[in-house]
Amino acid sequence: MTGTGLLYQGADWNFHIIRDCYKAIEEIAEKELGLNVFPNRIEVISSEQMLDVYTANGMPISYHHWSYGKRFASHENAYRRGLMGLAYEVVINSNPCISYLMEENSATMQALVIAHAAFGHNHFFKNNRIFQEWTDPSQILNYLEFARGYIARCEELHGQGAVERILDAAHALQGQGVNRHSGSRRVDLKDEQTRARERRAYEDSSYNDLWRTLPQSAEPHPVTDGERQALRRRFGLPEENLLYFLEKHAPRLAAWEREIIRIVRLMAQYFYPQPQLKLMNEGCATWVHDRIMTRLHEKGRIDDAAFLETIHSTTNVITQFGYEQGATSFNPYALGFAMMKDIERICVNPTEEDRRWQPDIAGNGDPYGTLRHAWAEYRDESFVLQFLSPTVMRDFRMFRLLDDTRDPYLLVDAIHDDAGYRDIRRTVAASYDPSAWYAEIEIVDVDSLGDRTLRLEHRTKEGQMLAEKDMKLTLDALADLWGYRVVLDEIDVPSGRVVASHEAQQRSS
């Protein structure tokens, strides 16, 4: 196969065609677009294997848990009945980067997926600052193997029911089991495996001594303010990472139970950056596959039929339904791709409006370099705040509604003028702010000298209370792991007033 001529014709493919497509795509990605990627590993799987990958949150290896089987049955049933489709690919943030291709794909779709996943997502995973700070792609697969083996051994030693009890509770709390502030040290997953046994032995001796010296009586014990502050410092309070606190300080957990909590916590931490970057990640990958497939067509490596199939597939992916069609948010593929294309346009052919709104990049003649910089340095919130232009706002027919419960009507309070564009851009950016997605819950006190009650606070946002049913189930899970009474107060932030209080006791094991 030379560097010219068609890579394939028709829908059929074989591994020689995939290899040739990969080489042609790699040449454009690296030499023309300047992409910098992890080594690639491409695997072709069946639809049933793709369902397996769906079940395990897109990972190739996972420990056993009943919720995964339930998810598999639900997805399989919907897929067999034609109620849902499967993704053309799944890509894993690992080193090497693993991309799964569906064997049912046509040759064109296999080429598109290689461009989209093996180069678009791969470049974004490797170069975005948040992924660099929070994830360890070189060790994730080894750690998953360790986690699966460890939990399987626990099931053999302690019984499936005992392990499921811990996993159920830890899964319920994993949304509150991550460190959300920058500057936290990225966990070395390789060291996690080698040091697990030593860490457990040390913590057994340290936490047992802490609780062994406490009074056995549950009667109230008078505590001075100085003593209380010293105890809070010893427990590291306040603490937002509930799973971390339980792993370190829950008095009734065995060493193996703590390790399982740690496994769930580290996996939650690994996935934590992904929702913050969904818009940019998908926008980047879609733009990359669109550019590469266009260049393959321009260079005569794919024919018109293949290019039309590419356009058709991309159009389906980037379709944005309107609010009148039931859409409640922006399609990340649609808005992300539109913003990438718009940045490219502004760099090459800006309007006067573009020069006012984006003076730093308008007409710089370097669209690829500008995009690579954005992919590396921004997350969704800051990317929208910096790069969402009036052109894209008009194309998406954006406006802002004010819903004041005191009025019997909705007010359109941001329209297509300079002030309105700025208001719309701030509002869209705020919808991608991670702090808006998570309940602000912290452990604030432990009655370690009395009945060992664990106290938490939820700082409400504009009167938004926790959903009662979910809150009670999650609080029960927390009490099960803590082993004693748990109290959660919901605090109105402006006034500091407790607006609701909830409690749970440990259920019988």
Side-chain angles (χ1 to χ4, degrees), residues 62-65 145-157 159 163-164 167 171 256 259-260 263-264:
S62 183
Y63 52 80
H64 298 298
H65 188 250
E145 187 70 43
F146 159 76
R148 182 174 67 175
Y150 185 88
I151 290 177
R153 288 193 298 274
C154 288
E155 289 178 335
E156 293 175 2
L157 293 172
V163 172
E164 279 193 355
L167 282 174
H171 284 180
W256 65 269
E259 191 64 46
I260 289 177
I263 287 169
V264 174

Side-chain angles (χ1 to χ4, degrees), residues 58-60 90-94 96-100 125 140-141 270:
M59 305 305 286
V90 169
V91 60
I92 298 171
N93 177 19
S94 60
C97 181
I98 302 176
S99 300
Y100 292 111
F125 287 144
I140 184 60
L141 297 180
Y270 174 82

Side-chain angles (χ1 to χ4, degrees), residues 109-255:
M109 289 310 304
Q110 303 293 36
L112 185 152
V113 164
I114 291 171
H116 182 96
F119 289 93
H121 283 308
N122 190 343
H123 173 89
F124 195 87
F125 287 144
K126 184 177 182 181
N127 295 278
N128 182 265
R129 187 179 297 275
I130 293 179
F131 276 121
Q132 290 177 347
E133 289 179 357
W134 289 98
T135 64
D136 185 3
S138 64
Q139 293 300 326
I140 184 60
L141 297 180
N142 291 334
Y143 187 74
L144 288 169
E145 187 70 43
F146 159 76
R148 182 174 67 175
Y150 185 88
I151 290 177
R153 288 193 298 274
C154 288
E155 289 178 335
E156 293 175 2
L157 293 172
H158 307 288
Q160 185 175 355
V163 172
E164 279 193 355
R165 170 181 164 269
I166 300 299
L167 282 174
D168 288 350
H171 284 180
L173 293 164
Q174 63 185 348
Q176 301 296 326
V178 297
N179 298 312
R180 296 196 176 95
H181 302 294
S182 61
S184 299
R185 182 178 63 87
R186 185 177 70 172
V187 176
D188 188 326
L189 296 178
K190 184 176 182 179
D191 286 349
E192 278 299 306
Q193 300 170 61
T194 59
R195 291 177 4 212
R197 183 175 300 173
E198 292 83 354
R199 182 177 62 245
R200 292 277 71 82
Y202 169 77
E203 289 177 356
D204 280 351
S205 62
S206 61
Y207 93 83
N208 281 337
D209 183 66
L210 171 64
W211 291 104
R212 180 178 55 78
T213 58
L214 298 180
Q216 297 301 311
S217 171
E219 295 297 321
H221 180 84
V223 182
T224 67
D225 289 342
E227 289 175 326
R228 183 174 296 280
Q229 291 303 317
L231 285 168
R232 293 180 81 250
R233 285 195 298 272
R234 188 169 186 180
F235 282 109
L237 300 178
E239 175 58 67
E240 68 170 356
N241 191 328
L242 306 190
L243 288 181
Y244 174 83
F245 183 88
L246 293 167
E247 175 200 339
K248 299 299 181 183
H249 302 298
R252 291 183 170 179
L253 293 179

Side-chain angles (χ1 to χ4, degrees), residues 400-413:
R400 190 175 73 178
L401 289 174
L402 175 64
D403 184 6
D404 191 328
T405 56
R406 296 168 298 182
D407 296 326
Y409 54 82
L410 299 176
L411 176 67
V412 179
D413 74 335

Side-chain angles (χ1 to χ4, degrees), residues 306-363:
F307 192 52
L308 285 172
E309 184 180 352
T310 298
I311 294 171
H312 176 76
S313 176
T314 304
T315 302
N316 287 339
V317 167
I318 65 172
T319 297
Q320 174 65 57
F321 295 107
Y323 70 93
E324 70 278 3
Q325 297 165 296
T328 58
S329 61
F330 291 109
N331 175 356
Y333 294 86
L335 184 57
F337 178 67
M339 290 184 67
M340 304 307 169
K341 293 284 286 185
D342 193 56
I343 291 171
E344 181 182 17
R345 177 192 62 79
I346 291 171
C347 291
V348 175
N349 188 28
T351 64
E352 286 305 312
E353 180 183 58
D354 295 325
R355 295 185 186 279
R356 293 198 314 272
W357 281 76
Q358 303 286 353
D360 293 338
I361 66 171

